[in-house]
Amino acid sequence: MSTGLLSLLAIVPILTVLFFLVLLRWPAKKAMPVAFLVTVGIAYFAWGVPVNQIAGASMEGVATALEVLFIVFGAILLLNTLKESGAIHTIRQGFMDISPDRRIQVIIICWLFGAFIEGASGWGTPAAIIAPLLVAIGFPAMGAVMTALIIQSAPVSYGAVGTPILIGVESGLGGSAAVEQVAASLGMTIDQYVRMIGGEVAIFNGIIGLLMPLFMVTMLTFFFGPNRSMKEGLAVWKFALFAGVSFAVPFALVANLLGPEFPAMFGGLIGLAIVVPAAKKGFLVPKKTWDFAPSSSWDPAWTGTLNVEPKRNLAPMAPLKAWMPYIVVAVLLVLTRLQTLPFGTWLESVVIEVENIFGSAITIESTPLFLPGFILLVVSVLSFLFYKMAGEAYMNAWKESGRTILAASPALMFAVPMVQVFINSDINSTGFESMPLVLAETASSAAGEHWPAVAPVIGALGAFVAGSNTISNMMFSLFQFGTAQNVGITPSTTVALQAAGGAAGNMICVHNVVAASAAAGLVGREGELIRKLLIPTVYYLIFAGGLGYIFIHGFGMNIGVAMVGLIVGLYLFAVYHGQQQLKAEQQLPRSA
């Protein structure tokens, strides 16, 4: 079979997802079973993957889907616990006290608090926690999910205390003599080489992340504002850029000075420490407050089934007491992820393992107590005791959370197995590489020396299909390294572009979208969300590709300069145009 035909067949599963989910706007619970069957058919008939391998990969996908559902359930249960206790009313008021402007709120909650949660936990936990929290403080469910998923970008490369770098990249490059030789020529061990790559990733993600808060607020005002206006989002460009810098500078410094474990956590915490006091004082905050229209006028497609209206008959609560469950979650996530402490090891010692599923080489392994869902569940129970809740109220929280999870289960139970069959297609009777590697090798042959502009797209492809920056880095890091050597460019920078692209792909990966939607009670609108999220994803990949090209080939009349120039030019034009429109509007009453 020719390489071209093989590549066309390999991309069919991805095109199937895009066709049914994005173009035809099918809900994920209908689109993903079709995509699963198409992937199985191609794996069996074109790749010659044995039935037991397909079955084993599918069961591994089911196990992963159950882990994701466990995390989402824990996040929703904790939120519903806070609702039933009355704490959510205090949390809502607390954000209003920082600033009543929804644009400011979303930057603080998503970009900064979300980055900290990502650094501590990973696993899509930030979106699962933040999306329902935004709904609780008055955001439309679809707007909440969209903005919560945008945060699944720059900080993701350092999620779960650096797992995508320390496990993803290091596992992907480990055991290669070529990598060891390059590292040795630089006077480094493999671990030091990987940490150097992690520093480069932070520089790329930090530069690109400078504009992500503005993307967040502009998309929020354009898609969900009463005037559907971009200029209302662009009006907050100074504060958004300030928040971007407040995160990106410590983020990049920590990655290069301390290593990949803490950039997202420290970037988020330091950013919060700088931005929250500034927002309270009105620093760079527009004088005109922006808010959503009354919920009665919202498009029905924006709203979900999650009801987090606080109980009105409960006594007021101190802010610290209301926030205590989330503080405890953050502390426990950090304590259990630090390798220097024994807590994570204790939790990981409880292992559920099934080897050689259906006689294949695939082994299912899960550490349920180490999953963020377990910590969220424990904190929910502690909150029940801490708030001295009535048993009936706490049971209501469990019932509502259960109903939400049941609605999301069908989509995930097909989405993740489809991904595993796609990835595990390397065990076959034809001798072909796995489907994702076939696609990557075809792309590298076409790009040649221009590979730096394309490398992030491969990372994004891996994250889109696998739902994980870590797995994307495992799959493609060595491929990226080898391609860089073949075309004569810097291997470490190319692998860094792989990881940066993987961060971008997390915004649109199906199971992250399904999980975040489920957490906000928004099921069936996944395709619409992916269409919206393609906007920041494309921005991220163009900017990353352009920066990588410049890092490797330098400044001059080249593709990289054109790509970066396009992004910067559009940003400056948008901000200038938005400011001019706002000035014109402000002058209208005076001339009337």
Side-chain angles (χ1 to χ4, degrees):
M1 190 180 297
S2 69
T3 303
L5 180 57
L6 201 62
S7 299
L8 287 174
L9 287 171
I11 204 172
V12 166
I14 297 171
L15 295 179
T16 303
V17 173
L18 295 175
F19 179 73
F20 288 105
L21 196 61
V22 179
L23 295 180
L24 294 188
R25 305 187 181 188
W26 281 20
K29 65 181 180 181
K30 292 183 179 179
M32 296 318 298
V34 174
F36 172 72
L37 292 175
V38 168
T39 307
V40 167
I42 292 174
Y44 181 74
F45 291 107
W47 257 253
V49 179
V51 172
N52 67 329
Q53 177 77 0
I54 292 172
S58 300
M59 289 305 299
E60 184 180 16
V62 169
T64 303
L66 290 172
E67 291 183 335
V68 173
L69 288 169
F70 183 37
I71 296 168
V72 175
F73 176 77
I76 301 170
L77 178 62
L78 182 57
L79 185 78
N80 282 329
T81 304
L82 297 182
K83 181 191 78 170
E84 294 292 336
S85 70
I88 204 68
H89 178 72
T90 302
I91 291 173
R92 176 185 291 182
Q93 187 58 47
F95 282 115
M96 296 300 289
D97 291 342
I98 294 173
S99 173
D101 195 311
R102 300 296 191 178
R103 298 167 298 185
I104 306 303
Q105 291 174 5
V106 80
I107 289 173
I108 291 171
I109 299 170
C110 281
W111 185 245
L112 299 172
F113 181 58
F116 171 75
I117 296 296
E118 174 62 34
S121 168
W123 287 83
T125 308
I129 290 177
I130 286 169
L133 181 58
L134 290 175
V135 173
I137 66 171
F139 281 61
M142 185 173 286
V145 175
M146 181 191 75
T147 50
L149 284 166
I150 289 175
I151 190 269
Q152 299 283 143
S153 53
V156 164
S157 294
Y158 304 91
V161 200
T163 297
I165 303 296
L166 295 174
I167 302 299
V169 173
E170 190 152 355
S171 296
L173 296 179
S176 168
V179 176
E180 291 176 359
Q181 184 178 358
V182 169
S185 70
L186 298 172
M188 297 179 179
T189 64
I190 290 292
D191 180 67
Q192 291 170 328
Y193 187 65
V194 167
R195 287 175 177 270
M196 182 189 74
I197 290 171
E200 291 188 54
V201 176
I203 293 172
F204 288 130
N205 282 349
I207 294 172
I208 300 165
L210 290 173
L211 305 187
M212 291 301 283
L214 187 62
F215 252 103
M216 195 179 291
V217 293
T218 303
M219 289 179 65
L220 189 69
T221 61
F222 180 72
F223 288 114
F224 303 101
N227 302 316
R228 305 293 183 90
S229 167
M230 288 183 65
K231 64 178 180 288
E232 291 175 335
L234 294 167
V236 77
W237 74 271
K238 293 179 182 177
F239 185 87
L241 188 59
F242 168 62
V245 171
S246 298
F247 167 79
V249 172
F251 171 78
L253 286 175
V254 168
N256 283 277
L257 296 176
L258 300 181
E261 291 90 348
F262 302 111
M265 280 196 290
F266 279 23
L269 280 177
I270 295 171
L272 283 169
I274 295 170
V275 173
V276 170
K280 284 184 175 181
K281 293 180 179 180
F283 180 68
L284 300 180
V285 176
K287 293 181 180 179
K288 185 177 180 181
T289 299
W290 183 86
D291 200 353
F292 301 106
S295 58
S296 58
S297 65
W298 291 352
D299 186 329
W302 298 358
T303 58
T305 58
L306 186 64
N307 176 23
V308 287
E309 191 62 31
K311 304 295 183 181
R312 298 293 180 184
N313 58 341
L314 294 172
M317 188 179 296
L320 181 60
K321 184 177 181 180
W323 270 102
M324 188 56 66
Y326 282 122
I327 294 171
V328 173
V329 165
V331 170
L332 289 178
L333 286 173
V334 172
L335 291 178
T336 55
R337 268 60 188 169
L338 289 174
Q339 294 182 357
T340 53
L341 297 175
F343 308 116
T345 304
W346 296 345
L347 296 179
E348 286 184 294
S349 65
V350 179
V351 181
I352 299 173
E353 184 175 8
V354 183
E355 298 181 347
N356 305 121
I357 302 295
F358 299 117
S360 69
I362 295 172
T363 295
I364 296 176
E365 182 178 301
S366 179
T367 52
L369 301 188
F370 189 69
L371 293 173
F374 176 71
I375 289 174
L376 291 163
L377 187 64
V378 168
V379 174
S380 172
V381 174
L382 293 175
S383 301
F384 163 65
L385 300 173
F386 179 64
Y387 293 131
K388 299 178 181 178
M389 295 171 60
E392 183 181 357
Y394 192 49
M395 284 306 299
N396 286 338
W398 276 81
K399 289 175 183 177
E400 288 187 32
S401 305
R403 283 193 290 267
T404 303
I405 285 300
L406 286 175
S409 299
L412 279 173
M413 286 300 179
F414 284 98
V416 190
M418 171 251 173
V419 166
Q420 292 300 325
V421 173
F422 187 80
I423 293 171
N424 285 284
S425 53
D426 56 332
I427 304 298
N428 55 61
S429 61
T430 57
F432 298 150
E433 296 278 9
S434 66
M435 294 188 215
L437 273 179
V438 167
L439 291 173
E441 289 176 355
T442 301
S444 68
S445 299
E449 66 176 8
H450 302 304
W451 183 248
V454 181
V457 177
I458 301 302
L461 172 69
F464 172 72
V465 298
S468 166
N469 193 357
T470 300
I471 295 177
S472 177
N473 291 343
M474 284 181 177
M475 283 196 297
F476 292 129
S477 287
L478 188 57
F479 162 77
Q480 296 270 17
F481 184 95
T483 300
Q485 285 196 315
N486 289 340
V487 299
I489 58 179
T490 311
S492 62
T493 303
T494 308
V495 177
L497 290 172
Q498 150 68 36
N506 263 262
M507 288 187 279
I508 55 170
C509 78
V510 176
H511 92 236
N512 273 358
V513 174
V514 172
S517 299
L522 189 76
V523 177
R525 298 283 174 178
E526 298 86 359
E528 190 170 344
L529 279 162
I530 290 175
R531 283 198 302 279
K532 290 178 170 62
L533 291 163
L534 282 170
I535 299 170
T537 303
V538 169
Y539 151 77
Y540 211 101
L541 294 177
I542 292 175
F543 206 169
L547 286 173
Y549 202 98
I550 291 171
F551 269 57
I552 289 173
H553 294 297
F555 285 97
M557 297 297 291
N558 60 44
I559 294 173
V561 171
M563 293 167 77
V564 172
L566 173 66
I567 294 296
V568 174
L570 287 174
Y571 170 76
L572 294 175
F573 172 78
V575 169
Y576 174 78
H577 186 62
Q579 291 295 300
Q580 292 300 111
Q581 284 189 308
L582 284 172
K583 286 180 181 178
E585 289 179 3
Q586 291 168 358
Q587 292 171 358
L588 281 176
R590 298 177 186 176
S591 60

